[in-house]
Amino acid sequence: MVSGRYDNFVAKLKAAVFESPGTVSTELRRAIADRQWTSVPLALAPYVENVALHAYKVTDEDVEALKRAGYSEDEIFEATSAAAVGAALMCLERGMAVVRTSRTQPGSVA
């Protein structure tokens, strides 16, 4: 869990992306963010994994394929947001862990 000066921001971001009303269930949005790919529908899982791990590789064709599979633009947006925010929060947590560790190391300047 991220601690310190970002707590309020992170809480508001999580509430907006994972708890607000939407077309994708809150449970699915959380599963996407937590990279629980086996809990994500088969047609959607490769897309959200790609967003989370290799966002620069996502193409218009990926989005069009989801539309052809029956996903609405709102569902795609919410799934994309959950994957991207989940990835960002994981990076933030890792970065904050490094900062916390460096503060406890002898000779640290952090």
Side-chain angles (χ1 to χ4, degrees):
M1 169 73 83
V2 175
S3 63
R5 66 195 229 193
Y6 301 108
D7 287 348
N8 190 40
F9 171 74
V10 169
K12 287 180 181 180
L13 180 62
K14 285 180 177 181
V17 175
F18 308 128
E19 299 168 18
S20 64
T23 56
V24 174
S25 73
T26 57
E27 294 81 14
L28 180 54
R29 284 182 268 161
R30 285 190 197 104
I32 291 169
D34 293 338
R35 299 182 183 179
Q36 296 173 355
W37 311 131
T38 57
S39 299
V40 177
L42 193 56
L44 187 59
Y47 172 79
V48 294
E49 183 175 2
N50 205 26
V51 169
L53 302 177
H54 310 287
Y56 65 95
K57 293 182 179 181
V58 174
T59 66
D60 290 343
E61 177 52 35
D62 297 327
V63 174
E64 290 304 317
L66 288 175
K67 287 180 183 178
R68 286 191 300 274
Y71 288 93
S72 70
E73 288 189 4
D74 286 344
E75 289 169 318
I76 296 167
F77 174 78
E78 291 171 20
T80 303
S81 298
V85 169
L89 291 173
M90 285 185 181
C91 288
L92 177 61
E93 180 55 41
R94 287 186 190 128
M96 295 304 292
V98 169
V99 169
R100 287 189 295 272
T101 300
S102 70
R103 288 182 180 162
T104 62
Q105 301 297 320
S108 170
V109 292

